[in-house]
Amino acid sequence: NRIAGWIIRFRYFLVLFLVCILVGCAYFNAFYLTKKSFQDGERERLKEGKTGVGHYSKAAANALKLLELYPESKWCDDALFLLGKSRYFQNQFQKALQRLVELENNYPDSPHFNEARYYRGLALEKSGKREEAEAIFRELLLIEEGQLKNDVLIAMIEISYNNEEYDEVIKA
């Protein structure tokens, strides 16, 4: 009887353990697929000169699934960031803005916070909200260093150039 009880408890433990592993694997797999699809879109856009829209669409779908199935996961900010960037590169600027603002509001300590603000600025500019975009870029210039600061400067120069404000381009 003691052995039979031990075997039953072991079986329950084993089943519980396997369920936990499978759930964890599904969770990690959802994030992995999101990231991989986004990276495939980036490769296609940057190296092959294509739009990468199909890959960005897959990344967005996977990120949405991750956020829906695992709303408390440690990768929610990553998923929101990839979703916002994917929407931006799909030229879905309002959807990009929605997700980037969601990341900023809910995850102020995220390592993606300032880069999300940068992409929000880009999406605002593409949506015709130049003043809002420039305000974000000016704030980022005060707090950011390195490559992101360079990207912000380039974005500001491009905005001025596209609006034929050549004096502003020269000042930058």
Side-chain angles (χ1 to χ4, degrees):
N1 279 336
R2 266 185 150 186
I3 294 176
W6 185 83
I7 291 173
I8 290 171
R9 279 182 278 187
F10 179 74
R11 283 184 185 168
Y12 284 126
F13 174 76
L14 185 60
V15 168
L16 183 62
F17 178 73
L18 291 174
V19 167
C20 289
I21 287 178
L22 290 175
V23 168
C25 288
Y27 165 73
F28 180 76
N29 190 45
F31 181 70
Y32 171 78
L33 291 174
T34 302
K35 195 170 182 179
K36 182 181 182 321
S37 295
F38 184 83
Q39 289 170 339
D40 290 345
E42 289 287 88
R43 184 195 72 250
E44 192 172 281
R45 182 177 64 85
L46 297 171
K47 293 182 182 170
E48 298 173 18
K50 299 176 185 174
T51 63
V53 170
H55 294 293
Y56 292 129
S57 181
K58 281 183 187 176
N62 289 331
L64 285 168
K65 185 184 292 185
L66 180 74
L67 292 168
E68 180 183 315
L69 295 175
Y70 308 103
E72 301 298 320
S73 87
K74 67 179 180 179
W75 286 319
C76 280
D77 64 323
D78 300 89
L80 282 169
F81 182 59
L82 292 174
L83 179 55
K85 284 176 63 174
S86 293
R87 294 299 193 210
Y88 174 81
F89 289 120
Q90 291 175 285
N91 295 322
Q92 297 178 0
F93 304 119
Q94 293 307 312
K95 288 182 178 183
L97 287 167
Q98 176 188 356
R99 295 307 181 159
L100 295 167
V101 167
E102 186 177 345
L103 184 148
E104 290 176 48
N105 290 339
N106 295 323
Y107 302 96
D109 296 326
S110 170
H112 306 297
F113 184 82
N114 284 336
E115 196 173 352
R117 293 182 71 216
Y118 166 72
Y119 277 97
R120 182 163 61 100
L122 294 177
L124 284 166
E125 196 276 326
K126 294 284 189 182
S127 300
K129 298 177 181 174
R130 178 181 171 193
E131 291 79 21
E132 289 180 58
E134 288 178 334
I136 289 171
F137 292 149
R138 281 191 297 276
E139 289 174 19
L140 285 172
L141 285 177
L142 296 175
I143 58 174
E144 244 337 292
E145 294 296 326
Q147 185 60 46
L148 185 55
K149 185 171 188 169
N150 294 337
D151 292 342
V152 170
L153 284 169
I154 290 168
M156 292 182 78
I157 290 168
E158 287 177 349
I159 291 171
S160 295
Y161 182 81
N162 291 338
N163 288 287
E164 298 179 4
E165 296 172 349
Y166 304 117
D167 291 340
E168 294 297 318
V169 173
I170 293 169
K171 287 179 190 175

